[in-house]
Amino acid sequence: MSNPANTKEQWQSWMAQAQAGDKAAYSQLLQALAVWLKRYYARRVAAASIEDLVQEAMIAIHEKRHTYNPTMPLMPWLAAIAHYKWVDHVRKVTKRSEVELLDAVLPDLAALQQDADAARDVEKLLAQLPAREAKVVRLAKLEEKTMEEIAQATGHSESHVKVMIHRSMKKLMELASKEDAA
Amino acid sequence: MSSHLIETLTHGLTPVQLVHVRQLWMRAGIGFSIAAIGVIAALGVRSDIDIAIHSMFFYWKIGLFVAQALCVMGLVQAFAIPGEQVRLRYLEAWAAVLFALVCVIGWFAFNRGPEDLIAGMTMPYGPVCFASVFIFGLVPMVLLCKWLKAAAPTNPPLAGALVGVVSGSLSSAAYALHCPMDHPAYAIWYFMPIALLAAAGAVIGHKWLRW
């Protein structure tokens, strides 16, 4: 059985060699890191995300390998990068699930528009949003335009449009639940 | 999947130029020098410099901001490189610098009364000092942010905000060569642009320094 202390010294030495351009040492290090990262993320994320996260972390290690000081222990450096990528992943997943949740919880606005009473309710809710947000929601959810088309129509970037839709839907959900409670 | 990625990453591997913390300190030094030359060239040295150099407040003002910049630099380097430990002594030193400022202001308030403090804060040229500190602070800010981009900050908004504090402090020290206002309460006109640069740094960190 290998001594973990020796293993870490070995990794440190491989990293120093990789920084000098040694492909063989780098390949050995990355293979060892893939196993270590899998174990690291297995305790932190859903099984389906482990492989993606391992790859993201390996790319980050590759891109930032020049920031490792070869006279210092390697593990704190590696652990900090693995942790940073994990936090980043959690942030992205939380954001994505919020959007999915909003889509699931909010009824399909276009379908509601078919019903005269519901259409009035939708318009009432939209009227409570700032004009530019209401316009973006109308284009996206009622007229079912693409992000590109909305970006062109409103003069905002696509990413800004996505953020606006996300925020507006959130506001609409809050407004709708207030009206339900009233 | 990983083996394919390993092949891709290993293929065409070349030696890398290591990022050193001393480059950060060098950039801060260059940023300060450019800001100081800019202040002297654009605004000139304070008109009462002959008298000011005999007053401890002249040195106190410059020293306060240089000390703050040095303390916060220690924190920046910890947040810029993965796995670096945040050394509490830098945080303690920074707190001591701010405490010293509070003590001096308190001493003034006690000995000269609150009216003197208000007068010190509302001296003319405040907005000019505010704008100058902010503008000259952009020079070290750009230099330090470029270094941070090459490094690997594990908390980009915080690293960016700290760089903003360093930049503002260096710019304040440089601007103190021109500014004849020595009242400690006048420091508010220096701390406001520092806070603005810190906020800008946090935004830059969030938008541009993520990796």
Side-chain angles (χ1 to χ4, degrees):
Chain A
M1 208 163 144
S2 65
N3 180 346
N6 287 346
T7 307
K8 279 160 195 168
E9 277 167 22
Q10 180 66 73
W11 288 10
Q12 199 170 322
S13 147
W14 280 338
M15 182 51 121
Q17 290 170 51
Q19 286 178 326
D22 185 333
K23 288 182 191 174
Y26 194 40
S27 174
Q28 281 178 299
L29 174 69
L30 289 178
Q31 280 168 31
L33 285 184
V35 176
W36 182 80
L37 287 167
K38 263 178 206 157
R39 221 177 298 145
Y40 181 91
Y41 290 126
R43 293 191 297 264
R44 291 170 172 83
V45 295
S49 307
I50 296 173
E51 189 59 39
D52 283 351
L53 208 40
V54 167
Q55 292 199 14
E56 266 187 48
M58 282 168 70
I59 293 168
I61 288 166
H62 176 75
E63 284 175 351
K64 296 294 179 183
R65 66 191 189 282
H66 61 281
T67 64
Y68 169 62
N69 177 352
T71 62
M72 301 297 282
L74 179 68
M75 289 318 287
W77 183 84
L78 274 180
I81 291 182
H83 183 263
Y84 174 69
K85 283 288 146 188
W86 171 57
V87 171
D88 207 36
H89 169 81
V90 170
R91 197 178 294 127
K92 276 184 208 158
V93 168
T94 315
K95 229 178 199 174
R96 207 183 308 143
S97 355
E98 250 178 56
V99 174
E100 281 163 7
L101 186 69
L102 283 170
D103 283 347
V105 171
L106 263 186
D108 184 353
L109 292 185
L112 274 179
Q113 195 74 343
Q114 309 297 321
D115 177 325
D117 286 342
R120 266 197 304 277
D121 288 343
V122 170
E123 284 304 327
K124 217 167 112 185
L125 286 174
L126 285 175
Q128 295 180 58
L129 290 180
R132 61 194 195 113
E133 287 182 12
K135 183 181 178 184
V136 167
V137 172
R138 257 195 203 96
L139 290 170
K141 301 288 176 183
L142 302 180
E143 296 176 26
E144 296 179 338
K145 301 270 190 210
T146 63
M147 290 295 151
E148 200 183 342
E149 288 169 331
I150 301 171
Q152 278 172 1
T154 56
H156 299 301
S157 69
E158 281 186 42
S159 55
H160 189 203
V161 167
K162 280 181 199 164
V163 172
M164 278 172 79
I165 292 173
H166 172 63
R167 285 185 186 153
S168 312
M169 295 300 275
K170 212 170 173 180
K171 280 187 199 167
L172 281 179
M173 196 167 79
E174 281 163 15
L175 289 169
S177 59
K178 266 185 207 163
E179 298 233 330
D180 284 348
Chain B
M1 209 48 169
S2 289
S3 58
H4 177 69
L5 178 66
I6 291 170
E7 255 176 56
T8 313
L9 297 181
T10 332
H11 181 74
L13 187 77
T14 50
V16 286
Q17 189 91 41
L18 300 187
V19 158
H20 287 291
V21 169
R22 68 167 178 270
Q23 295 161 345
L24 175 75
W25 290 86
M26 273 173 58
R27 280 172 181 254
I30 294 168
F32 172 69
S33 307
I34 295 174
I37 292 167
V39 166
I40 294 167
L43 307 168
V45 177
R46 56 191 283 179
S47 51
D48 63 343
I49 187 77
D50 298 344
I51 307 158
I53 52 169
H54 299 295
S55 157
M56 73 165 192
F57 287 110
F58 174 70
Y59 300 102
W60 146 259
K61 197 163 68 167
I62 295 174
L64 172 83
F65 292 110
V66 169
Q68 175 164 270
L70 293 176
C71 298
V72 183
M73 278 287 284
L75 296 172
V76 171
Q77 71 179 43
F79 284 104
I81 305 289
E84 281 280 322
Q85 292 291 315
V86 178
R87 294 194 178 93
L88 272 181
R89 65 168 184 261
Y90 288 115
L91 208 53
E92 289 164 356
W94 187 15
V97 169
L98 295 177
F99 182 69
L101 175 65
V102 171
C103 286
V104 172
I105 293 174
W107 185 87
F108 265 70
F110 184 75
N111 286 290
R112 300 188 185 178
E115 302 79 20
D116 179 70
L117 272 191
I118 292 163
M121 273 187 249
T122 52
M123 279 181 186
Y125 308 121
V128 177
C129 297
F130 175 95
S132 304
V133 170
F134 181 78
I135 290 166
F136 287 108
L138 294 175
V139 179
M141 182 96 169
V142 169
L143 290 171
L144 296 176
C145 279
K146 281 188 88 173
W147 183 86
L148 262 191
K149 182 77 178 165
T154 47
N155 189 338
L158 181 58
L162 290 172
V163 155
V165 174
V166 171
S167 307
S169 304
L170 293 174
S171 167
S172 298
Y175 183 70
L177 297 169
H178 164 77
C179 178
M181 311 294 176
D182 287 337
H183 198 292
Y186 194 75
I188 192 165
W189 290 105
Y190 285 64
F191 274 94
M192 280 196 292
I194 292 175
L196 191 60
L197 285 165
V203 173
I204 290 170
H206 182 70
K207 300 272 182 200
W208 188 61
L209 296 176
R210 292 164 75 96
W211 48 279

